[in-house]
Amino acid sequence: MMNFLNDWGLVLTIFLPLAGALVMMAIPKQSEGAIKLVALGAPLAAAAMGILLMLNFDYGDSESLQFMVNRNWIELINSNFILGLDGLSLPLLALTLFIVPLVVIYSWQHVPNPGNPKAFFTLMLILETAMIGSFLAQDLILFFVFFEVTLLPMYFLIGVWGGEQRRYASIKFFLYTLFGSAFMIVAFVALYFLAKAPTGIALEQLRALGGSYADMQAGDPLRSFGMQALTYSGAAGIAKTTAIVIFGGMFLGFGIKVPMFPFHTWLPDAHTQAPTQGSVILAAVLLKLGTYGFIRIAIPILPVAARAWAPIIGILAVIGIIYGALGCLAQTDMKRLIAFSSVSHMGYTMLGISTLTAFGLNAAVFGMVAHGLITGLLFFIAGSVKERYHTLDIKRLGGLLISAPKMGWILGFATMASLGLPGLAGFWGEFPAILAAYEPAVGLNVALFRTLMVLAAVGTVLAAGYLLWLYQRTAFGTPSEEFENDPNITDVNKFEWLAWSPIIAGIVILGFFPGLIFNVAGPAVEVIARTVGG
Amino acid sequence: MIATLLQLLPEADFLSPTIDWHAIAPEMVILIGSLVLILLDSFKLDKAKPFMPTLASLVLLGALIPVITLAIDGSTRVLFGGSYVVDSMSLVLKALFLVSAYIVVLMSTNYVADGDYWESEYYSLIVAAVLGMLVMCSARDLLMIFVALELLSIPAYMLAAWRKGDEKSNEAGLKYYLMGVFASAVLLYGMSLMYGVGRSTRLDVIAENLVRIGDGRGAPIVTLAMIFVIIGFAFKVSAVPFHTWAPDTYEGAPTPVTAFLAVASKTAGFVALIQIVFYCFAARPDIIQPVFAVLAILSMTVGNLIALKQTNVVRMLAYSGIAQAGFMLAPFAVIETNREQALSSIVIYLVIYAAMNLGAFAVIIAITRKTRSAEITSLGGLFSYMPGLTVVMTIFLASLAGIPPFGGWYAKFGVWQALIGGNTALGYALAIIMAINTVVAAYYYLNVAKTMWFDEAPDGDTAPVKIPFTLIGAMGITVVATVMFGVLPGLLTNISDFSPVAAALGR
């Protein structure tokens, strides 16, 4: 069993959805039943694989990569097919494997207009493969490929199945991300050429990787895209200014994906126009590729540059928190409001990251998962509201608790979770991130970070404001005349229950047992924090 | 009279060169094949017509056999006193030309027959042009390069005007011809100056002399000669500002011919540049690097910006081809510090570009069988009635835009690697400009994808059209190649590891 998992576990987890997509292409368009079966079966198979991996994961050693796969891929540039699972990847892998089947269940009853479930689910499965691959890849080029593969399916999901402004939103999403990743790949290539073998203990660790690293001497050119090797190298041999510029390339790539202020403008459009399923996946998983990239790649590989960039990241994160919150207050569309709240919440994650401490990074990892679950649920609800009311205009909504009481309560639950109510997952994503800013890594400007902390705390008040305001206007009161006796407005149906109850359970469980993530990710981020000297 | 002239010659006897027949077997197959095609046409007339595409395909694939046996043998063969060299790189390129031409023949089969154009001559001209391309791959001599260039250009001038009844096609042929001849004249002038200062037509000898001259007497002529020669080929590869013929020619020419021009003919121009620059002009990187940097930046930027405005998909591909040429020209600008990677990145780009661009043209030919127009708007709603074709086209467009996992990403990656690996300010600048251009290019490629996927069919006509199997074959080969090169670029890098070649041409 263990041998099988070691050799094939991660590969199967990544490629089972893709295999499902290929099977799907062979099924004729008319047999919707078979298509949906494959659409659910493939992510479930991947999830089963994932559960097996998690059961066999050595939690005592979660800082090191497990179930590693290492095969030759592009020899000429020494880029290899390296996969590995550690405490940092595991929560995000779990999140992806958890969300995608729920999205498929939610889509069971009807695929958004203009239909065509075959194409819809094929794209979703390809997207899942790309997302999982990004979280497991341990080679920069492999990561880049998976990272980019997420673009096209999402582009088509928004563009074909989206709202009225879908053409504009989809191309904006695409070009923005591509702009960032073009600079990211240039940064990766620069690392390849400039990084050198380190000295001391790091050199021993590097040699222990074997292969071409086995007889490296300090100062030898590394010529590698391996994340581990580059992390051990820690940008040895790269001048500080050069490292700062390279970090800038990555900052563009990851920061646009997060999205950080001022690169966030694609997000509200993409979210508002995307079909519900697309919004959920985008919010729950795709945004995390950016924050994950910072923690996994940018910071450990370029520690010196990371310290130089940390204040900028911190400031932009807090601007994002406040700006996103103020943006929320100005929205009239429920989905757009949730999208802006994403900008604000991802700000907390980035603030946690910018402290460069184990505590802050750990809070960021928790924040990613919590935001994935909560915002995913909010988008689900928004989608269902839209389906019933055919509008998301907050002014026209109201009285949800009367017309669809169960849905009203679930919306209430989700808003409470989102504003960070203790006992629910959202709290553990925000509060420790703010706390971490009190004591940033040694050498960072303490006064600055404490100011940021205060501002971020103000952000939570704003968050409570816009979320409660949203809830008040949509759920309280009486339904407006136009919807009073609308037969379309029904309560939560069984597919929605099936899709939502696991998320609700997840939010509660993580709220009461935050250790489930803190303890797994802790050791892994601690290693990273140590390399930055935090 | 002749006797006295002969007496003036030096004593050395004329020795007939020993010919390595194996080394030139591919060229011989093509030569004999093209003669057979012409003779069959002359004697059998219309009876031979139906077999012409098949025969042409057989000739092209037949020539692949000696290419493969030579590759298995693996040794570098030098012929004709060093002016003709068969090495691993030339074999890769020869195979590329043969396969590209084969795909063009597949694409032409129904197009030429349905359009009631002259068929037999069409195929013999294509095969003749391929002969020029094969010679170009091995030519290490100015004369040889010039002859090869003319041999591949002259058939192309005629092919561009193949739709005789169509004004646009006539314009295409004439424009291409006039510009081509003008470029040849410039090139020839540059070559004659080069011969004057280099004292030989052999590239390696010229290179030695260039090093010897350095900045001394004759240096200005060296600069002038280099710039003229580069400009001559810049026309061929349609680099800005020598690109003006390309869009009109591409739009007017029959679409399979456009594919041939955009891929095979452009590749041949690049092969010529590779030969001349890497084997000879590399001796003076200080002169050529800035020239190539300017050409590359202009081509990628101007090509992309004009492509944004196009409403015709073939014209769009023409301008995008100009931009792609800019990407391929960029590695020439770091030849001094990163010669090996520059060489292999250009060749890899050429191979991947051939696969994805030929594929895109094949899909356009298939679509225009229905729409009868290459306007982008006429592609609307394609996804609803021909989803397979739409997915295939999307793959090619995504690949051209450089999105993994399709081949184009590795092509661009290779260029970035070459540029940054050179570790020069010029290289970094080019890498950044290229990154920005990649994003601009993505917009117009996706614009086509958008029309196919998101828009409605323009006149509500959603009856699918039957696609001939030769076209399906052409799309099949190119799509498999595009995906394979993207997922497993190692396949390509293994055959294009020219470090021995590059090492051999070190100064």
Side-chain angles (χ1 to χ4, degrees):
Chain A
M1 186 67 196
M2 210 48 201
N3 279 338
F4 169 75
L5 282 181
N6 275 328
D7 292 342
W8 291 103
L10 297 180
V11 177
L12 282 176
T13 316
I14 294 178
F15 290 108
L16 274 174
L18 186 67
L22 293 178
V23 171
M24 189 109 73
M25 285 182 196
I27 302 175
K29 210 171 166 181
Q30 288 76 25
S31 39
E32 275 196 26
I35 286 172
K36 284 177 179 165
L37 223 57
V38 176
L40 186 60
L44 281 183
M49 236 15 257
I51 291 171
L52 268 181
L53 287 170
M54 285 172 219
L55 289 177
N56 288 288
F57 187 81
D58 179 1
Y59 289 92
D61 188 29
S62 70
E63 70 266 30
S64 45
L65 293 167
Q66 302 178 26
F67 310 109
M68 277 197 73
V69 177
N70 191 346
R71 297 262 179 287
N72 282 342
W73 186 38
I74 316 175
E75 276 173 61
L76 186 72
I77 56 169
N78 194 18
S79 169
N80 298 303
F81 184 81
I82 312 178
L83 304 173
L85 181 68
D86 66 358
L88 174 56
S89 301
L90 193 134
L92 295 161
L93 172 69
L95 178 68
T96 314
L97 293 171
F98 180 71
I99 287 286
V100 175
L102 300 180
V103 172
V104 174
I105 291 173
Y106 181 83
S107 327
W108 202 264
Q109 222 175 6
H110 42 243
V111 173
N113 276 333
N116 197 345
K118 180 176 167 181
F120 186 77
F121 288 122
T122 306
L123 289 171
M124 200 178 288
L125 292 181
I126 296 173
L127 187 58
E128 186 180 13
T129 285
M131 293 186 299
I132 300 174
S134 311
F135 290 133
L136 296 179
Q138 301 297 333
D139 179 281
L140 291 180
I141 298 304
L142 190 62
F143 172 84
F144 172 77
V145 168
F146 281 125
F147 187 84
E148 292 281 280
V149 173
T150 60
L151 286 184
L152 268 187
M154 200 62 212
Y155 170 73
F156 287 119
L157 281 179
I158 299 176
V160 178
W161 289 274
E164 275 154 27
Q165 303 285 319
R166 59 183 191 273
R167 289 184 180 81
Y168 170 74
S170 57
I171 194 78
K172 192 171 179 183
F173 158 78
F174 194 98
L175 290 183
Y176 249 99
T177 324
L178 196 68
F179 181 79
S181 48
F183 284 94
M184 184 173 84
I185 188 76
V186 172
F188 287 174
V189 176
L191 269 183
Y192 172 82
F193 283 108
L194 297 177
K196 298 203 165 50
T199 51
I201 306 167
L203 183 62
E204 297 303 317
Q205 287 173 313
L206 180 69
R207 283 180 179 164
L209 290 177
S212 59
Y213 311 115
D215 350 284
M216 267 196 185
Q217 302 298 322
D220 282 355
L222 199 60
R223 290 293 147 93
S224 165
F225 286 109
M227 291 185 195
Q228 271 183 302
L230 284 166
T231 305
Y232 291 142
S233 156
I238 303 181
K240 190 178 172 187
T241 40
T242 318
I244 289 174
V245 174
I246 296 177
F247 194 101
M250 295 188 190
F251 176 78
L252 275 180
F254 299 136
I256 287 176
K257 198 86 180 174
V258 170
M260 292 191 70
F261 181 89
F263 309 120
H264 65 281
T265 58
W266 64 268
L267 183 89
D269 288 317
H271 265 317
T272 316
Q273 298 306 323
T276 308
Q277 293 85 341
S279 296
V280 172
I281 292 182
L282 190 60
V285 187
L286 279 182
L287 302 188
K288 277 64 192 183
L289 287 178
T291 37
Y292 172 80
F294 274 110
I295 304 181
R296 165 74 74 196
I297 296 170
I299 291 173
I301 292 180
L302 293 162
V304 178
R307 296 163 72 85
W309 273 87
I312 300 172
I313 295 177
I315 291 169
L316 288 179
V318 170
I319 295 179
I321 294 174
I322 304 288
Y323 180 90
L326 293 176
C328 283
L329 289 170
Q331 297 311 312
T332 55
D333 182 288
M334 183 169 165
K335 222 173 165 188
R336 217 176 156 81
L337 190 151
I338 303 171
F340 267 100
S341 84
S342 266
V343 175
S344 182
H345 280 112
M346 292 312 278
Y348 289 106
T349 306
M350 288 312 299
L351 178 65
I353 291 173
S354 72
T355 64
L356 301 180
T357 57
F359 190 57
L361 293 175
N362 213 345
V365 175
F366 200 103
M368 290 190 230
V369 178
H371 174 263
L373 294 175
I374 296 166
T375 311
L377 182 59
L378 279 170
F379 275 119
F380 266 137
I381 298 168
S384 288
V385 168
K386 167 101 187 199
E387 212 175 278
R388 289 165 171 78
Y389 289 82
H390 302 288
T391 179
L392 282 171
D393 193 351
I394 300 174
K395 274 199 238 82
R396 290 171 61 194
L397 301 173
L400 191 63
L401 278 168
I402 294 176
S403 24
K406 293 190 184 106
M407 194 180 294
W409 282 112
I410 296 176
L411 176 63
F413 172 82
T415 47
M416 291 306 137
S418 185
L419 63 81
L421 194 74
L424 297 176
F427 175 74
W428 298 108
E430 278 175 25
F431 180 65
I434 298 172
L435 211 58
Y438 183 77
E439 191 73 70
V442 183
L444 295 182
N445 187 336
V446 178
L448 171 72
F449 273 89
R450 290 196 182 157
T451 320
L452 293 180
M453 180 186 81
V454 174
L455 290 172
V458 173
T460 59
V461 180
L462 290 175
Y466 65 75
L467 284 164
L468 291 175
W469 197 37
L470 167 75
Y471 189 56
Q472 204 175 22
R473 285 183 296 170
T474 53
F476 293 172
T478 49
S480 61
E481 252 171 50
E482 56 175 328
F483 298 119
E484 206 168 11
N485 296 311
D486 193 331
N488 284 327
I489 298 170
T490 51
D491 215 338
V492 185
N493 65 32
K494 69 175 177 211
F495 290 104
E496 286 162 348
W497 275 124
L498 269 176
W500 295 352
S501 42
I503 302 184
I504 296 171
I507 293 172
V508 175
I509 292 171
L510 285 181
F512 280 101
F513 304 104
L516 286 176
I517 287 176
F518 282 139
N519 293 343
V520 177
V525 292
E526 208 149 294
V527 175
I528 294 167
R530 255 207 312 278
T531 59
V532 214
Chain B
M1 175 69 189
I2 290 176
T4 46
L5 269 179
L6 280 176
Q7 276 173 355
L8 288 174
L9 282 173
E11 282 302 298
D13 295 314
F14 177 73
L15 291 175
S16 99
T18 46
I19 294 180
D20 181 349
W21 291 103
H22 189 191
I24 57 166
E27 288 84 347
M28 294 310 289
V29 172
I30 294 286
L31 179 61
I32 294 167
S34 68
L35 293 178
V36 168
L37 284 174
I38 293 171
L39 288 176
L40 262 184
D41 176 47
S42 318
F43 289 111
K44 293 283 182 187
L45 299 174
D46 274 0
K47 272 187 219 153
K49 237 172 148 183
F51 307 108
M52 280 299 175
T54 324
L55 257 178
S57 314
L58 284 178
V59 170
L60 292 169
L61 293 181
L64 260 184
I65 297 170
V67 170
I68 293 168
T69 56
L70 282 167
I72 292 169
D73 178 56
S75 58
T76 300
R77 294 153 187 263
V78 181
L79 288 83
F80 307 123
S83 52
Y84 202 81
V85 178
V86 179
D87 55 16
S88 61
M89 185 181 73
S90 72
L91 290 174
V92 169
L93 292 168
K94 281 178 189 178
L96 173 64
F97 282 124
L98 290 170
V99 174
S100 305
Y102 171 67
I103 293 169
V104 170
V105 169
L106 285 181
M107 284 158 45
S108 309
T109 309
N110 285 67
Y111 189 95
V112 179
D114 293 355
D116 205 21
Y117 308 119
W118 283 321
E119 282 188 74
S120 310
E121 292 84 350
Y122 180 90
Y123 296 106
S124 37
L125 282 177
I126 286 199
V127 173
V130 171
L131 179 60
M133 294 168 184
L134 295 195
V135 172
M136 185 68 89
C137 298
S138 291
R140 299 281 195 276
D141 181 288
L142 290 180
L143 276 180
M144 194 84 87
I145 289 175
F146 186 72
V147 170
L149 184 73
E150 292 303 299
L151 184 51
L152 70 91
S153 300
I154 293 170
Y157 300 145
M158 288 186 264
L159 288 171
W162 212 247
R163 296 192 304 176
K164 266 181 69 178
D166 186 349
E167 266 183 24
K168 279 199 165 176
S169 185
N170 284 307
E171 183 196 340
L174 188 64
K175 231 174 207 171
Y176 188 32
Y177 172 70
L178 290 177
M179 293 307 249
V181 172
F182 177 60
S184 289
V186 174
L187 175 69
L188 210 50
Y189 188 38
M191 282 183 169
S192 64
L193 288 176
M194 196 45 98
Y195 174 69
V197 287
R199 300 185 188 175
S200 170
T201 55
R202 284 244 319 266
L203 295 180
D204 49 348
V205 179
I206 298 176
E208 282 166 25
N209 282 323
L210 289 183
V211 174
R212 191 176 47 73
I213 294 168
D215 281 330
R217 242 169 81 88
I221 296 182
V222 170
T223 312
L224 200 64
M226 282 182 174
I227 290 177
F228 274 16
V229 170
I230 292 173
I231 287 178
F233 287 116
F235 272 101
K236 202 76 210 160
V237 302
S238 66
V240 177
F242 312 106
H243 66 289
T244 45
W245 59 273
D248 290 334
T249 302
Y250 283 14
E251 192 189 350
T255 321
V257 174
T258 307
F260 189 66
L261 295 180
V263 174
S265 184
K266 180 178 284 191
T267 308
F270 269 102
V271 172
L273 270 180
I274 290 175
Q275 311 284 32
I276 287 199
V277 171
F278 279 87
Y279 292 89
C280 180
F281 290 5
R284 292 298 303 278
D286 53 325
I287 300 173
I288 56 164
Q289 287 192 160
V291 175
F292 277 108
V294 170
L295 281 179
I297 293 171
L298 281 180
S299 299
M300 57 177 105
T301 314
V302 175
N304 270 336
L305 291 180
I306 304 182
L308 286 174
K309 302 279 284 178
Q310 299 308 312
T311 55
N312 180 302
V313 69
V314 176
R315 278 187 90 86
M316 186 278 276
L317 280 179
Y319 281 109
S320 97
I322 294 170
Q324 303 263 3
F327 295 154
M328 289 185 252
L329 284 168
F332 284 109
V334 290
I335 191 168
E336 185 177 17
T337 45
N338 202 8
R339 183 182 295 222
E340 287 175 28
Q341 268 166 344
L343 180 59
S344 76
S345 75
I346 297 167
V347 175
I348 287 174
Y349 208 120
L350 288 172
V351 175
I352 293 175
Y353 177 73
M356 59 196 185
N357 223 24
L358 281 175
F361 277 111
V363 179
I364 290 170
I365 292 174
I367 295 172
T368 46
R369 286 176 73 81
K370 176 190 168 62
T371 59
R372 300 281 153 209
S373 136
E375 288 298 305
I376 293 177
T377 46
S378 73
L379 303 178
L382 195 69
F383 178 61
S384 60
Y385 59 95
M386 291 202 273
L389 207 58
T390 311
V391 170
V392 170
M393 186 63 174
T394 309
I395 290 177
F396 292 130
L397 290 169
S399 180
L400 283 164
I403 298 157
F406 309 116
W409 82 268
Y410 190 75
K412 292 210 169 64
F413 176 81
V415 172
W416 267 318
Q417 209 194 5
L419 290 176
I420 296 170
N423 201 13
T424 58
L426 192 60
Y428 284 113
L430 277 168
I432 305 262
I433 294 171
M434 187 172 147
I436 296 167
N437 268 297
T438 309
V439 184
V440 177
Y443 178 78
Y444 57 78
Y445 291 125
L446 278 184
N447 193 32
V448 177
K450 184 203 83 179
T451 312
M452 295 189 301
W453 283 73
F454 309 165
D455 290 355
E456 302 289 323
D459 43 7
D461 177 13
T462 55
V465 67
K466 199 173 170 326
I467 306 170
F469 73 92
T470 46
L471 255 186
I472 296 180
M475 286 188 269
I477 297 171
T478 46
V479 87
V480 168
T482 305
V483 174
M484 286 301 277
F485 291 153
V487 176
L488 299 169
L491 293 176
L492 211 54
T493 55
N494 288 345
I495 56 161
S496 64
D497 181 9
F498 304 126
S499 33
V501 179
L505 48 103
R507 268 183 271 162

